Amino acid sequence: MKILRYFLIIALIALVVIQFIRPDKQEGNYLAIDAFETETNMPAEVRAIFSNNCYDCHSGVTTYPWYADIAPLSYWVNDHIEDGKRHFDVEEWNNYSLKKKDHKLDELIEEVEEGEMPLKSYTLLHGDLSDEEKELLENWAKEARTQIQREMVVQ
């Protein structure tokens, strides 16, 4: 019983200490997002979907939920954001080649079709995309891919 008590005291102290050691928060670039939206001819409905469901993890423009200030959840949220940006960072869009842009949009379509995006851990707290929103995203991404593929042929 004494060992359990000491363990709980040490765990409580550790939990309090990690509250003061937080990961850095993202400070995004709205201009880079504007460039992405403009180049891909993103309609307002799709912008709203991205703003509400995608940019938090796929850009540096993150709206942090209240629990992102509580460790260890702050580390979990930060890991999701870093992983999301590693896979697709809209702020890097202008640095992608046409081939990579085409590939990223293809991945987006696939992830949405298969229900992999947004992540289940995100949708549990923030809600999922409706079928109509998924269709809007997929159609927009397919149109954007077609335009990029035309540009690739010209080059």
Side-chain angles (χ1 to χ4, degrees), residues 95-114:
N95 298 325
Y96 292 164
S97 67
L98 289 174
K99 184 176 179 179
K100 188 168 185 175
K101 289 176 181 181
D102 178 58
H103 178 70
K104 291 299 178 184
L105 290 171
D106 184 42
E107 284 181 329
L108 184 150
I109 294 164
E110 183 178 324
E111 294 290 316
V112 172
E113 281 178 346
E114 293 177 359

PDB file of all heavy atoms in Angstrom, residues 95-114:
ATOM      1  N   ASN A  95       5.458  25.577 -52.632  1.00  0.00           N
ATOM      2  CA  ASN A  95       6.760  24.926 -52.745  1.00  0.00           C
ATOM      3  C   ASN A  95       6.665  23.533 -53.377  1.00  0.00           C
ATOM      4  O   ASN A  95       7.681  22.927 -53.690  1.00  0.00           O
ATOM      5  CB  ASN A  95       7.424  24.816 -51.365  1.00  0.00           C
ATOM      6  CG  ASN A  95       7.687  26.174 -50.758  1.00  0.00           C
ATOM      7  OD1 ASN A  95       7.995  27.132 -51.460  1.00  0.00           O
ATOM      8  ND2 ASN A  95       7.546  26.267 -49.457  1.00  0.00           N
ATOM      9  N   TYR A  96       5.444  23.025 -53.526  1.00  0.00           N
ATOM     10  CA  TYR A  96       5.254  21.704 -54.127  1.00  0.00           C
ATOM     11  C   TYR A  96       5.374  21.802 -55.647  1.00  0.00           C
ATOM     12  O   TYR A  96       4.930  22.773 -56.261  1.00  0.00           O
ATOM     13  CB  TYR A  96       3.857  21.148 -53.808  1.00  0.00           C
ATOM     14  CG  TYR A  96       3.589  20.783 -52.363  1.00  0.00           C
ATOM     15  CD1 TYR A  96       2.283  20.591 -51.938  1.00  0.00           C
ATOM     16  CD2 TYR A  96       4.598  20.617 -51.423  1.00  0.00           C
ATOM     17  CE1 TYR A  96       1.991  20.238 -50.630  1.00  0.00           C
ATOM     18  CE2 TYR A  96       4.319  20.280 -50.113  1.00  0.00           C
ATOM     19  CZ  TYR A  96       3.010  20.088 -49.720  1.00  0.00           C
ATOM     20  OH  TYR A  96       2.716  19.743 -48.432  1.00  0.00           O
ATOM     21  N   SER A  97       5.934  20.772 -56.242  1.00  0.00           N
ATOM     22  CA  SER A  97       5.939  20.675 -57.706  1.00  0.00           C
ATOM     23  C   SER A  97       4.513  20.341 -58.155  1.00  0.00           C
ATOM     24  O   SER A  97       3.666  19.941 -57.354  1.00  0.00           O
ATOM     25  CB  SER A  97       6.880  19.548 -58.141  1.00  0.00           C
ATOM     26  OG  SER A  97       6.358  18.286 -57.733  1.00  0.00           O
ATOM     27  N   LEU A  98       4.251  20.490 -59.450  1.00  0.00           N
ATOM     28  CA  LEU A  98       2.928  20.144 -59.968  1.00  0.00           C
ATOM     29  C   LEU A  98       2.606  18.673 -59.691  1.00  0.00           C
ATOM     30  O   LEU A  98       1.476  18.328 -59.330  1.00  0.00           O
ATOM     31  CB  LEU A  98       2.835  20.441 -61.464  1.00  0.00           C
ATOM     32  CG  LEU A  98       2.796  21.915 -61.850  1.00  0.00           C
ATOM     33  CD1 LEU A  98       2.852  22.072 -63.371  1.00  0.00           C
ATOM     34  CD2 LEU A  98       1.546  22.592 -61.287  1.00  0.00           C
ATOM     35  N   LYS A  99       3.606  17.832 -59.856  1.00  0.00           N
ATOM     36  CA  LYS A  99       3.409  16.403 -59.617  1.00  0.00           C
ATOM     37  C   LYS A  99       3.025  16.143 -58.155  1.00  0.00           C
ATOM     38  O   LYS A  99       2.139  15.355 -57.856  1.00  0.00           O
ATOM     39  CB  LYS A  99       4.684  15.635 -59.978  1.00  0.00           C
ATOM     40  CG  LYS A  99       4.547  14.144 -59.861  1.00  0.00           C
ATOM     41  CD  LYS A  99       5.805  13.438 -60.328  1.00  0.00           C
ATOM     42  CE  LYS A  99       5.651  11.947 -60.189  1.00  0.00           C
ATOM     43  NZ  LYS A  99       6.831  11.219 -60.651  1.00  0.00           N
ATOM     44  N   LYS A 100       3.698  16.834 -57.232  1.00  0.00           N
ATOM     45  CA  LYS A 100       3.399  16.651 -55.814  1.00  0.00           C
ATOM     46  C   LYS A 100       2.024  17.227 -55.468  1.00  0.00           C
ATOM     47  O   LYS A 100       1.288  16.641 -54.669  1.00  0.00           O
ATOM     48  CB  LYS A 100       4.472  17.289 -54.944  1.00  0.00           C
ATOM     49  CG  LYS A 100       4.327  16.967 -53.476  1.00  0.00           C
ATOM     50  CD  LYS A 100       5.546  17.375 -52.681  1.00  0.00           C
ATOM     51  CE  LYS A 100       5.399  16.933 -51.244  1.00  0.00           C
ATOM     52  NZ  LYS A 100       6.602  17.188 -50.458  1.00  0.00           N
ATOM     53  N   LYS A 101       1.660  18.352 -56.080  1.00  0.00           N
ATOM     54  CA  LYS A 101       0.327  18.921 -55.853  1.00  0.00           C
ATOM     55  C   LYS A 101      -0.743  17.927 -56.296  1.00  0.00           C
ATOM     56  O   LYS A 101      -1.734  17.706 -55.590  1.00  0.00           O
ATOM     57  CB  LYS A 101       0.170  20.241 -56.607  1.00  0.00           C
ATOM     58  CG  LYS A 101       0.973  21.375 -56.017  1.00  0.00           C
ATOM     59  CD  LYS A 101       0.856  22.628 -56.866  1.00  0.00           C
ATOM     60  CE  LYS A 101       1.687  23.760 -56.290  1.00  0.00           C
ATOM     61  NZ  LYS A 101       1.576  25.003 -57.073  1.00  0.00           N
ATOM     62  N   ASP A 102      -0.546  17.346 -57.467  1.00  0.00           N
ATOM     63  CA  ASP A 102      -1.483  16.349 -57.985  1.00  0.00           C
ATOM     64  C   ASP A 102      -1.581  15.171 -57.013  1.00  0.00           C
ATOM     65  O   ASP A 102      -2.675  14.702 -56.698  1.00  0.00           O
ATOM     66  CB  ASP A 102      -1.026  15.887 -59.371  1.00  0.00           C
ATOM     67  CG  ASP A 102      -1.941  14.823 -59.944  1.00  0.00           C
ATOM     68  OD1 ASP A 102      -3.149  15.090 -60.086  1.00  0.00           O
ATOM     69  OD2 ASP A 102      -1.439  13.719 -60.249  1.00  0.00           O
ATOM     70  N   HIS A 103      -0.439  14.724 -56.529  1.00  0.00           N
ATOM     71  CA  HIS A 103      -0.405  13.591 -55.599  1.00  0.00           C
ATOM     72  C   HIS A 103      -1.121  13.930 -54.287  1.00  0.00           C
ATOM     73  O   HIS A 103      -1.880  13.105 -53.760  1.00  0.00           O
ATOM     74  CB  HIS A 103       1.044  13.177 -55.337  1.00  0.00           C
ATOM     75  CG  HIS A 103       1.176  12.065 -54.357  1.00  0.00           C
ATOM     76  ND1 HIS A 103       0.779  10.774 -54.637  1.00  0.00           N
ATOM     77  CD2 HIS A 103       1.633  12.051 -53.082  1.00  0.00           C
ATOM     78  CE1 HIS A 103       0.997  10.011 -53.579  1.00  0.00           C
ATOM     79  NE2 HIS A 103       1.503  10.759 -52.619  1.00  0.00           N
ATOM     80  N   LYS A 104      -0.895  15.124 -53.763  1.00  0.00           N
ATOM     81  CA  LYS A 104      -1.522  15.526 -52.504  1.00  0.00           C
ATOM     82  C   LYS A 104      -3.044  15.593 -52.646  1.00  0.00           C
ATOM     83  O   LYS A 104      -3.776  15.178 -51.751  1.00  0.00           O
ATOM     84  CB  LYS A 104      -0.981  16.872 -52.012  1.00  0.00           C
ATOM     85  CG  LYS A 104       0.459  16.809 -51.555  1.00  0.00           C
ATOM     86  CD  LYS A 104       0.636  15.862 -50.396  1.00  0.00           C
ATOM     87  CE  LYS A 104       2.070  15.759 -49.950  1.00  0.00           C
ATOM     88  NZ  LYS A 104       2.254  14.762 -48.894  1.00  0.00           N
ATOM     89  N   LEU A 105      -3.517  16.109 -53.749  1.00  0.00           N
ATOM     90  CA  LEU A 105      -4.962  16.155 -53.979  1.00  0.00           C
ATOM     91  C   LEU A 105      -5.541  14.749 -54.159  1.00  0.00           C
ATOM     92  O   LEU A 105      -6.645  14.460 -53.698  1.00  0.00           O
ATOM     93  CB  LEU A 105      -5.294  17.036 -55.177  1.00  0.00           C
ATOM     94  CG  LEU A 105      -5.068  18.533 -54.951  1.00  0.00           C
ATOM     95  CD1 LEU A 105      -5.208  19.290 -56.262  1.00  0.00           C
ATOM     96  CD2 LEU A 105      -6.031  19.079 -53.905  1.00  0.00           C
ATOM     97  N   ASP A 106      -4.782  13.871 -54.822  1.00  0.00           N
ATOM     98  CA  ASP A 106      -5.210  12.487 -54.980  1.00  0.00           C
ATOM     99  C   ASP A 106      -5.320  11.816 -53.604  1.00  0.00           C
ATOM    100  O   ASP A 106      -6.290  11.112 -53.326  1.00  0.00           O
ATOM    101  CB  ASP A 106      -4.227  11.734 -55.878  1.00  0.00           C
ATOM    102  CG  ASP A 106      -4.664  10.313 -56.167  1.00  0.00           C
ATOM    103  OD1 ASP A 106      -5.867  10.095 -56.417  1.00  0.00           O
ATOM    104  OD2 ASP A 106      -3.800   9.403 -56.141  1.00  0.00           O
ATOM    105  N   GLU A 107      -4.336  12.060 -52.745  1.00  0.00           N
ATOM    106  CA  GLU A 107      -4.380  11.513 -51.382  1.00  0.00           C
ATOM    107  C   GLU A 107      -5.574  12.062 -50.607  1.00  0.00           C
ATOM    108  O   GLU A 107      -6.229  11.326 -49.870  1.00  0.00           O
ATOM    109  CB  GLU A 107      -3.091  11.852 -50.620  1.00  0.00           C
ATOM    110  CG  GLU A 107      -1.899  11.025 -51.022  1.00  0.00           C
ATOM    111  CD  GLU A 107      -0.663  11.384 -50.210  1.00  0.00           C
ATOM    112  OE1 GLU A 107      -0.511  12.559 -49.788  1.00  0.00           O
ATOM    113  OE2 GLU A 107       0.158  10.487 -49.993  1.00  0.00           O
ATOM    114  N   LEU A 108      -5.841  13.345 -50.771  1.00  0.00           N
ATOM    115  CA  LEU A 108      -6.971  13.968 -50.088  1.00  0.00           C
ATOM    116  C   LEU A 108      -8.266  13.265 -50.483  1.00  0.00           C
ATOM    117  O   LEU A 108      -9.079  12.904 -49.623  1.00  0.00           O
ATOM    118  CB  LEU A 108      -7.039  15.451 -50.439  1.00  0.00           C
ATOM    119  CG  LEU A 108      -8.104  16.294 -49.752  1.00  0.00           C
ATOM    120  CD1 LEU A 108      -7.602  17.722 -49.604  1.00  0.00           C
ATOM    121  CD2 LEU A 108      -9.422  16.281 -50.477  1.00  0.00           C
ATOM    122  N   ILE A 109      -8.455  13.063 -51.778  1.00  0.00           N
ATOM    123  CA  ILE A 109      -9.657  12.385 -52.272  1.00  0.00           C
ATOM    124  C   ILE A 109      -9.763  10.995 -51.663  1.00  0.00           C
ATOM    125  O   ILE A 109     -10.819  10.603 -51.150  1.00  0.00           O
ATOM    126  CB  ILE A 109      -9.643  12.298 -53.821  1.00  0.00           C
ATOM    127  CG1 ILE A 109      -9.740  13.696 -54.435  1.00  0.00           C
ATOM    128  CG2 ILE A 109     -10.766  11.395 -54.327  1.00  0.00           C
ATOM    129  CD1 ILE A 109      -9.358  13.757 -55.904  1.00  0.00           C
ATOM    130  N   GLU A 110      -8.665  10.259 -51.696  1.00  0.00           N
ATOM    131  CA  GLU A 110      -8.652   8.894 -51.168  1.00  0.00           C
ATOM    132  C   GLU A 110      -8.955   8.857 -49.670  1.00  0.00           C
ATOM    133  O   GLU A 110      -9.760   8.043 -49.213  1.00  0.00           O
ATOM    134  CB  GLU A 110      -7.282   8.262 -51.437  1.00  0.00           C
ATOM    135  CG  GLU A 110      -7.170   6.831 -51.001  1.00  0.00           C
ATOM    136  CD  GLU A 110      -5.801   6.244 -51.326  1.00  0.00           C
ATOM    137  OE1 GLU A 110      -5.230   6.594 -52.379  1.00  0.00           O
ATOM    138  OE2 GLU A 110      -5.311   5.457 -50.508  1.00  0.00           O
ATOM    139  N   GLU A 111      -8.336   9.741 -48.915  1.00  0.00           N
ATOM    140  CA  GLU A 111      -8.537   9.778 -47.461  1.00  0.00           C
ATOM    141  C   GLU A 111      -9.988  10.112 -47.106  1.00  0.00           C
ATOM    142  O   GLU A 111     -10.562   9.527 -46.184  1.00  0.00           O
ATOM    143  CB  GLU A 111      -7.598  10.786 -46.804  1.00  0.00           C
ATOM    144  CG  GLU A 111      -6.121  10.436 -46.900  1.00  0.00           C
ATOM    145  CD  GLU A 111      -5.735   9.240 -46.056  1.00  0.00           C
ATOM    146  OE1 GLU A 111      -6.189   9.176 -44.895  1.00  0.00           O
ATOM    147  OE2 GLU A 111      -4.987   8.383 -46.549  1.00  0.00           O
ATOM    148  N   VAL A 112     -10.574  11.047 -47.821  1.00  0.00           N
ATOM    149  CA  VAL A 112     -11.967  11.429 -47.555  1.00  0.00           C
ATOM    150  C   VAL A 112     -12.910  10.300 -47.971  1.00  0.00           C
ATOM    151  O   VAL A 112     -13.826   9.938 -47.224  1.00  0.00           O
ATOM    152  CB  VAL A 112     -12.325  12.756 -48.265  1.00  0.00           C
ATOM    153  CG1 VAL A 112     -13.821  13.042 -48.160  1.00  0.00           C
ATOM    154  CG2 VAL A 112     -11.524  13.913 -47.671  1.00  0.00           C
ATOM    155  N   GLU A 113     -12.670   9.717 -49.151  1.00  0.00           N
ATOM    156  CA  GLU A 113     -13.527   8.612 -49.631  1.00  0.00           C
ATOM    157  C   GLU A 113     -13.510   7.438 -48.665  1.00  0.00           C
ATOM    158  O   GLU A 113     -14.532   6.804 -48.429  1.00  0.00           O
ATOM    159  CB  GLU A 113     -13.078   8.142 -51.016  1.00  0.00           C
ATOM    160  CG  GLU A 113     -13.521   9.022 -52.150  1.00  0.00           C
ATOM    161  CD  GLU A 113     -13.023   8.541 -53.504  1.00  0.00           C
ATOM    162  OE1 GLU A 113     -12.118   7.676 -53.567  1.00  0.00           O
ATOM    163  OE2 GLU A 113     -13.530   9.049 -54.520  1.00  0.00           O
ATOM    164  N   GLU A 114     -12.331   7.129 -48.119  1.00  0.00           N
ATOM    165  CA  GLU A 114     -12.185   5.971 -47.232  1.00  0.00           C
ATOM    166  C   GLU A 114     -12.555   6.288 -45.782  1.00  0.00           C
ATOM    167  O   GLU A 114     -12.485   5.417 -44.920  1.00  0.00           O
ATOM    168  CB  GLU A 114     -10.760   5.432 -47.311  1.00  0.00           C
ATOM    169  CG  GLU A 114     -10.438   4.843 -48.672  1.00  0.00           C
ATOM    170  CD  GLU A 114      -9.004   4.368 -48.797  1.00  0.00           C
ATOM    171  OE1 GLU A 114      -8.229   4.502 -47.819  1.00  0.00           O
ATOM    172  OE2 GLU A 114      -8.648   3.865 -49.875  1.00  0.00           O
TER     173      GLU A 114
END
